[in-house]
Amino acid sequence: MKLIYQQMLAFFILIMTLLLILGFSFFHITREVIYENTWQQLEGYAYSLKNQSMMIQTRKGKQVLTLNVDKLRTSEVLLSNQQVRFTIYTSRNDTLYPKKGYKSAISAKDWKKLEKGKILRRKSDLGWRGPDKQNVQNQQRMTDILAPCFDSSGKLVAVISVGAKVSSIQESFTKIQKNLFYVLLISALLGMLISYFLAHYITKRISKLRKVTRAVANGNFDVKVIDNRRDELDDLAKDFNKMTVSLKKSNEEIRLQEQRRRQFMADAAHEMRTPLTTINGLLEGLVYDAIPEEDKDKSIKLMRNETKRLIRLVNENLDYEKIRSGQIDLRQSSFNGMDVLRNVQEQLRKKADNSGNKLEVNGPQKLEVYADYDRFVQIIFNITQNAIQFTENGTITISAERGHRCSIFRISDDGMGMSDEQLKNIWERYYKADPSRKNTKYGESGLGLSIVQQLMELHKGKVEVTSKLGLGTTFTLIFPDKR
Ligand SMILES: Nc1ncnc2c1ncn2[C@@H]1O[C@H](COP(=O)(O)OP(=O)(O)OP(=O)(O)O)[C@@H](O)[C@H]1O
Ligand SMILES: [Mg+2]
């Protein structure tokens, strides 16, 4: 079922339930009030009949009930105009007045209650009969009261029964019932209208959201839902807007990643082709004995170098993927970081010399760092190598110091530096600030810094970089102490 109908039904059922409960209680209360009023009136008649037409006289020491028949007749005529009848009983089955009149059924239980002085009110009684007892047509449903009369000794001498036709009360009920039915009908129609508008209002907002969702599903991330900050639907709209913003971002990110991946594949293929062609050419030369004996050693050395370059390219890719997918376990320990810095300095001194760079190490004799030894070497090596790579005839300084619950390492150079735009991207995989430099002797793949960043994250450390184009770059590495 459509949401609008569900909502309408829910509202309608609620409104109808309320109306029915109210209608039923109203009807019930009115019925009670009408009966109550009728009984009070009947009791009033009984009281005046007793006072005006009945007397208790003492004859020969005995108390006798005497009636003023004239007055009773007048009252009878007057009351019959109002559809009210009365009877005076001396016992359950004997009537004193009228002799041939109507008779009500009084149960023995009721008679006992009357003897105790109680006034009885009865909603309906079928005992009133016309003069002809056999004629069922004359049976009439009556509501009546039964009032007892006592002599001075407290003995029950008579019971006055005053009754009115139930049919006349029923008439009032029917009128009320009819009116109530019309009111219910009008209210139901109104309820239906209100339910429709309420349901329409809610579903309209959901439909709007749906429309926008479809637009997003179709790749349009620039749509927005109006958020009035009123209720949960507005909260949903707010979340939805947030979602489209982040979807747009990640979509853009995926696009960029894909673009870089393609670029890398092209670069990798290009880079692999050169060494493979070299190796292939040399191998063929060796097979056909086309290489002179004295050049054979040189050729093999060249092949080894090219193979190493290929292996490095493949390994870096594999390494990055392993770190990223959490397949690397760090074996962290505390060691002297200064030793590593001096080792790296030794290893890269030649490379630095080749490009006319000075490579310096500053810091205390001993500086404890808590890290995975091999990965720490890899990080320092990578960044120092970059510094040498992008600096000519300059100075590269590796320095170290203690921080608050951490050890801090800085690698600065006064090389070519980077623009702000380039700085933003250096952590991206396959990113090279200047793609024209791709075929340098170090075989750049644009993976070095993304691996460094992943490794720093694994160490729960931090890596920061500042750089000025043409002036130089400084990388800061912060390794937290063991906790
Ligand atoms: N010290 C630096 N000075 C100037 N540019 C730098 C420096 N370090 C990194 N970059 C820039 O950041 C880019 C990314 O560096 P990264 O180490 O990730 O890749 P790469 O050195 O090009 O290749 P790889 O390290 O995988 O062989 C570099 O290509 C370079 O443009
Ligand atoms: Mg590098």
Side-chain angles (χ1 to χ4, degrees):
M1 204 200 279
K2 274 195 148 192
L3 189 64
I4 185 164
Y5 299 130
Q6 286 179 35
Q7 294 267 339
M8 262 181 82
L9 198 72
F11 287 132
F12 188 66
I13 289 175
L14 189 79
I15 292 171
M16 282 318 286
T17 314
L18 276 176
L19 279 175
L20 283 175
I21 291 173
L22 277 175
F24 185 75
S25 351
F26 176 75
F27 185 71
H28 184 73
I29 290 167
T30 323
R31 195 182 152 98
E32 290 305 308
V33 167
I34 290 179
Y35 268 110
E36 180 67 34
N37 285 343
T38 313
W39 286 331
Q40 272 179 12
Q41 211 179 355
L42 295 179
E43 272 176 36
Y45 292 149
Y47 184 75
S48 56
L49 280 172
K50 198 164 123 185
N51 278 348
Q52 289 169 16
S53 321
M54 294 164 73
M55 287 155 286
I56 308 253
Q57 290 173 339
T58 316
R59 279 187 208 154
K60 294 176 196 165
K62 246 186 166 184
Q63 295 192 46
V64 185
L65 174 71
T66 53
L67 300 178
N68 185 338
V69 178
D70 289 341
K71 272 194 180 167
L72 279 176
R73 278 207 185 108
T74 326
S75 303
E76 195 177 10
V77 175
L78 276 173
L79 289 177
S80 70
N81 285 340
Q82 297 175 43
Q83 312 270 20
V84 172
R85 283 164 191 168
F86 66 87
T87 312
I88 301 168
Y89 297 85
T90 47
S91 75
R92 271 182 66 207
N93 296 312
D94 298 321
T95 58
L96 195 61
Y97 184 91
K99 274 288 179 219
K100 282 184 184 168
Y102 302 94
K103 209 172 179 184
S104 170
I106 306 174
S107 64
K109 208 172 149 195
D110 282 350
W111 193 264
K112 270 204 183 112
K113 281 184 192 163
L114 289 163
E115 276 176 337
K116 280 181 189 157
K118 275 190 183 151
I119 295 175
L120 301 184
R121 292 166 160 190
R122 301 191 299 185
K123 264 200 178 142
S124 88
D125 171 49
L126 251 182
W128 286 78
R129 293 180 186 101
D132 179 3
K133 281 189 183 175
Q134 305 304 315
N135 193 348
V136 184
Q137 291 290 311
N138 279 337
Q139 282 195 353
Q140 276 180 328
R141 212 170 256 282
M142 304 291 287
T143 175
D144 62 358
I145 62 110
L146 298 169
C149 297
F150 297 98
D151 64 12
S152 59
S153 66
K155 192 184 154 213
L156 181 71
V157 285
V159 167
I160 310 172
S161 148
V162 190
K165 275 192 205 161
V166 170
S167 59
S168 52
I169 293 179
Q170 205 61 46
E171 259 171 43
S172 325
F173 288 154
T174 320
K175 249 188 226 163
I176 294 171
Q177 239 171 343
K178 233 187 199 168
N179 285 342
L180 211 68
F181 177 74
Y182 288 133
V183 170
L184 262 175
L185 204 75
I186 294 169
S187 312
L189 286 173
L190 260 170
M192 227 142 92
L193 227 81
I194 293 171
S195 327
Y196 173 76
F197 282 117
L198 277 174
H200 182 70
Y201 172 70
I202 293 174
T203 44
K204 203 173 101 189
R205 293 170 70 199
I206 294 175
S207 301
K208 267 190 200 161
L209 216 74
R210 205 178 137 213
K211 208 168 130 193
V212 181
T213 315
R214 237 181 287 148
V216 172
N218 289 335
N220 180 4
F221 299 106
D222 293 319
V223 282
K224 240 187 154 190
V225 196
I226 299 161
D227 155 28
N228 293 319
R229 297 177 186 190
R230 274 192 317 231
D231 54 17
E232 283 86 347
L233 277 178
D234 285 321
D235 288 346
L236 183 65
K238 196 170 123 198
D239 291 344
F240 183 87
N241 289 338
K242 264 193 211 160
M243 187 190 75
T244 44
V245 170
S246 56
L247 268 178
K248 191 180 175 181
K249 248 193 213 161
S250 43
N251 201 45
E252 187 62 22
E253 183 63 27
I254 289 168
R255 206 181 55 77
L256 273 174
Q257 284 271 0
E258 180 58 20
Q259 200 181 331
R260 272 184 212 132
R261 193 188 61 81
R262 277 200 201 143
Q263 181 70 38
F264 172 72
M265 287 306 282
D267 291 352
H270 186 266
E271 270 187 49
M272 282 181 189
R273 197 167 52 194
T274 322
L276 282 173
T277 321
T278 316
I279 295 167
N280 192 41
L282 289 169
L283 278 174
E284 272 178 13
L286 284 174
V287 169
Y288 296 111
D289 241 352
I291 298 171
E293 202 58 44
E294 63 270 21
D295 285 344
K296 272 188 184 166
D297 270 0
K298 228 170 97 190
S299 304
I300 291 172
K301 208 177 156 197
L302 196 61
M303 280 201 289
R304 273 187 68 195
N305 277 345
E306 292 299 282
T307 320
K308 271 187 198 157
R309 219 174 109 183
L310 279 172
I311 292 171
R312 198 179 80 88
L313 199 71
V314 174
N315 277 349
E316 276 192 357
N317 261 298
L318 288 177
D319 204 22
Y320 179 85
E321 282 306 332
K322 269 193 195 158
I323 299 168
R324 223 171 66 131
S325 54
Q327 288 177 38
I328 292 268
D329 282 329
L330 291 185
R331 269 168 292 156
Q332 276 171 288
S333 60
S334 295
F335 53 87
N336 185 3
M338 292 311 292
D339 288 344
V340 175
L341 300 194
R342 284 187 279 264
N343 278 347
V344 171
Q345 184 188 27
E346 267 327 297
Q347 282 180 53
L348 288 172
R349 196 189 295 281
K350 210 172 156 225
K351 269 181 191 169
D353 283 348
N354 287 346
S355 44
N357 289 319
K358 263 197 274 169
L359 182 56
E360 290 173 356
V361 171
N362 287 338
Q365 255 312 306
K366 194 168 183 270
L367 185 94
E368 213 167 75
V369 55
Y370 181 67
D372 180 312
Y373 186 87
D374 292 337
R375 296 297 179 181
F376 180 73
V377 174
Q378 188 182 358
I379 293 167
I380 301 289
F381 195 91
N382 238 304
I383 293 181
T384 315
Q385 202 181 31
N386 275 353
I388 296 170
Q389 201 172 333
F390 302 107
T391 309
E392 252 172 52
N393 304 322
T395 311
I396 290 120
T397 316
I398 315 177
S399 60
E401 60 179 295
R402 266 226 73 78
H404 176 63
R405 290 185 176 174
C406 60
S407 30
I408 304 169
F409 299 86
R410 275 197 192 87
I411 296 137
S412 14
D413 64 66
D414 48 7
M416 61 172 63
M418 284 172 277
S419 69
D420 288 349
E421 189 57 37
Q422 290 170 337
L423 257 188
K424 262 194 255 163
N425 293 312
I426 53 168
W427 308 109
E428 302 281 346
R429 201 179 171 190
Y430 311 128
Y431 178 80
K432 282 174 251 178
D434 181 3
S436 65
R437 287 184 262 144
K438 65 187 166 198
N439 238 342
T440 66
K441 51 195 161 197
Y442 300 110
E444 288 170 60
S445 59
L447 278 169
L449 284 182
S450 41
I451 293 175
V452 165
Q453 195 193 34
Q454 297 279 345
L455 285 175
M456 286 310 289
E457 260 175 41
L458 269 184
H459 279 91
K460 302 206 165 37
K462 237 172 109 190
V463 51
E464 288 161 1
V465 56
T466 52
S467 186
K468 277 265 165 335
L469 199 63
L471 290 178
T473 309
T474 300
F475 279 87
T476 309
L477 300 158
I478 301 165
F479 285 87
D481 289 347
K482 187 176 180 181
R483 291 200 183 160

